[in-house]
Amino acid sequence: MEHVPLKDIAQATGVSVSTVSRVMTHHPGISEATRSKVLAAAREMRYSPHGAARSLSTNKSMTVAFLSYRRPVSTQLVTASSDQSGVLEVLEAAGYSLLIAGISDDELRKPRELRILRQQRVDGLILEGPTLSAGFVQELVNMGMPVVHVDGLSGVSGLDIVLHENERGAEEITHHLVRSSGRKRIVFISGPSHWISSAERRRGYENAMRAHELEPRVIMFEDTTTDIGVEAARTTFEKYPDADAIVAVNDAVAIGFIGEARRLGVNVPHDMAVTGFDDISWAAHSHPTLTTMRTFPSEMGRQAATRLLELLSRPGEKPAPLTIRVGVELVRRESCGTTDS
C-alpha cells in the first residue's frame, strides 16, 4: 500500500480533512454513514496510515492529541487555510495521527485521569486556549509529556507557548484610533488578567495611551464572549459616559458591544468608535463592519505542530521552553470611521 494524503480522501468523499482524521483514529461522534463512506474511499484509494509501521519499530503511538476546554476547537488552527498548513497537515506529513478531544470538569481537576491518556496512548499534546487552569497544564508538563500550548495562560513553568503578537497589535490599533480617528477618551475592555492574550493586549493599549499622554481606562471581565460585550457596553456608558472609543479584547466582545450600543441609541462610529481583535468571520459582516487586528490561526497551528515534533524528536531531553510569536495585521473597517480602500 502507498501513503495517500487525508486531503485526497476528504476531497473524494466531500467531507473535511478533520472528519477523515477522526474516522481514521476511531473518534466518536461520527455518523455510521460518514464513517462507512470514508473507510470505503480509503480502501479504494489503498490508504495506509504510514505511522503504523513506525509505531511498531519505535515504540511510539505516532499519535498526538489536540485538547480544548469549554470552547469549540478552532478548525483554522487544526486544518489548512488557503495558503498555510495547520496542525493536521504538519503532523500528517511527519507520519502522525491527530486525536481531537474536549476536557471534562473532572479531568481538569485530575489531569492524570484524562481519558485520552488512559485509553489511547499519545506521544504529545497540543492544548488550545486560556480557559485551562494553570494547575492542569503544569501537571501535564511535570508528567514529562511533550506539550505545546496555543494562546495559553500565565503561571506555568517549562511550557512551550504559541501566541499572537498581542501587545504590538493592541498598541497599533489604539494608535490608529488616536491618529486617524481623532479619539482620545478610549476605554479598553479586558478579559481575565491571567490570560496571556488579554494581559498583553491591555499592555499594548496602555503603552499607546501613555505615548499620546492620554489616561488609560480599563474595564475587566472574567470572559470574552458577545454577552460580555453587551454587559461591557452598559458598564462603559455608566462609568465613562464621555468615552469616544472602545478597544475590545476580541471581536466577540466588540460585536456584542456594538449591538447593545445600537439598542441604547449610540451611533457607531459617529458617537463612539469600536475595534476588536482576531478578525473572526462575523467581523466583516457586522453592522457596522468591524475594525480589528487580523490573526493567523493556521500559522499558529503550524508553529505549534512543528515545535511539538521537535520536542518529540528529542526524547529524554529538556530543551528550554520557547514562546513563539505569530504576526497580526490591522484591518480598517467602518466601526472606527476609517476604512481600507
Side-chain angles (χ1 to χ4, degrees):
M1 289 188 178
E2 61 186 26
H3 173 60
V4 177
L6 295 188
K7 64 182 179 182
D8 290 358
I9 300 174
Q11 186 174 16
T13 55
V15 300
S16 68
V17 174
S18 59
T19 296
V20 175
S21 175
R22 291 183 180 192
V23 171
M24 296 306 176
T25 54
H26 311 290
H27 194 281
I30 303 295
S31 71
E32 191 56 40
T34 298
R35 189 181 303 277
S36 298
K37 179 171 65 173
V38 169
L39 291 176
R43 286 193 297 270
E44 183 176 338
M45 299 172 74
R46 299 179 61 80
Y47 169 81
S48 175
H50 62 302
R54 290 176 61 186
S55 176
L56 292 174
S57 63
T58 63
N59 198 32
K60 292 182 178 181
S61 68
M62 301 306 295
T63 302
V64 167
F66 187 99
L67 305 179
S68 65
Y69 174 68
R70 287 191 174 179
R71 60 189 287 170
V73 171
S74 169
T75 56
Q76 290 176 301
L77 269 173
V78 174
T79 60
S81 66
S82 59
D83 61 353
Q84 183 63 66
S85 298
V87 169
L88 183 59
E89 287 74 20
V90 172
L91 293 178
E92 183 188 59
Y96 281 83
S97 297
L98 180 67
L99 289 175
I100 302 173
I103 299 169
S104 70
D105 290 337
D106 286 341
E107 290 171 331
L108 191 69
R109 289 188 290 270
K110 299 177 180 179
R112 293 178 186 273
E113 296 300 313
L114 271 172
R115 287 167 297 169
I116 206 156
L117 299 182
R118 290 188 290 110
Q119 299 176 4
Q120 175 79 35
R121 186 164 61 91
V122 296
D123 297 329
L125 300 173
I126 296 176
L127 309 178
E128 182 193 9
T131 53
L132 298 163
S133 71
F136 172 87
V137 179
Q138 187 67 69
E139 186 162 349
L140 290 177
V141 173
N142 293 346
M143 288 165 59
M145 174 73 66
V147 179
V148 178
H149 198 167
V150 179
D151 189 19
L153 70 170
S154 58
V156 181
S157 61
L159 178 66
D160 290 85
I161 305 177
V162 182
L163 297 167
H164 303 295
E165 288 187 343
N166 294 301
E167 186 171 336
R168 183 186 69 78
E171 191 167 344
E172 181 177 351
I173 209 165
T174 306
H175 281 311
H176 173 69
L177 285 171
V178 177
R179 293 168 178 164
S180 300
S181 300
R183 312 293 172 148
K184 298 184 183 300
R185 299 178 300 278
I186 306 171
V187 178
F188 182 73
I189 307 300
S190 176
S193 59
H194 63 284
W195 292 9
I196 294 178
S197 58
S198 179
E200 291 183 341
R201 292 172 191 183
R202 173 177 176 169
R203 189 159 59 244
Y205 154 82
E206 291 175 338
N207 290 343
M209 292 293 282
R210 293 190 180 105
H212 293 285
E213 298 183 343
L214 299 173
E215 177 190 0
R217 302 174 173 188
V218 177
I219 303 175
M220 184 178 295
F221 293 90
E222 289 305 308
D223 208 340
T224 57
T225 63
T226 51
D227 287 342
I228 290 296
V230 171
E231 184 180 347
R234 298 169 186 163
T235 302
T236 299
F237 298 140
E238 290 177 5
K239 189 172 183 179
Y240 300 113
D242 64 337
D244 62 5
I246 295 296
V247 174
V249 68
N250 68 10
D251 290 348
V253 171
I255 290 169
F257 191 105
I258 289 173
E260 182 64 5
R262 184 168 58 245
R263 191 188 72 81
L264 295 173
V266 177
N267 182 286
V268 176
H270 183 268
D271 301 326
M272 175 176 287
V274 178
T275 66
F277 205 114
D278 290 332
D279 197 26
I280 63 175
S281 58
W282 294 355
H285 304 287
S286 64
H287 181 69
T289 56
L290 182 64
T291 293
T292 187
M293 295 303 299
R294 177 172 294 154
T295 59
F296 300 93
S298 290
E299 174 63 12
M300 292 187 79
R302 187 184 74 82
Q303 293 282 358
T306 300
R307 177 56 177 169
L308 186 63
L309 289 175
E310 182 181 351
L311 296 176
L312 290 170
S313 72
R314 302 166 66 180
E317 298 183 35
K318 291 187 177 180
L322 298 181
T323 297
I324 300 168
R325 297 282 178 180
V326 174
V328 294
E329 178 182 287
L330 177 63
V331 180
R332 294 180 289 269
R333 297 195 181 105
E334 297 167 347
S335 67
C336 68
T338 62
T339 60
D340 285 328
S341 56

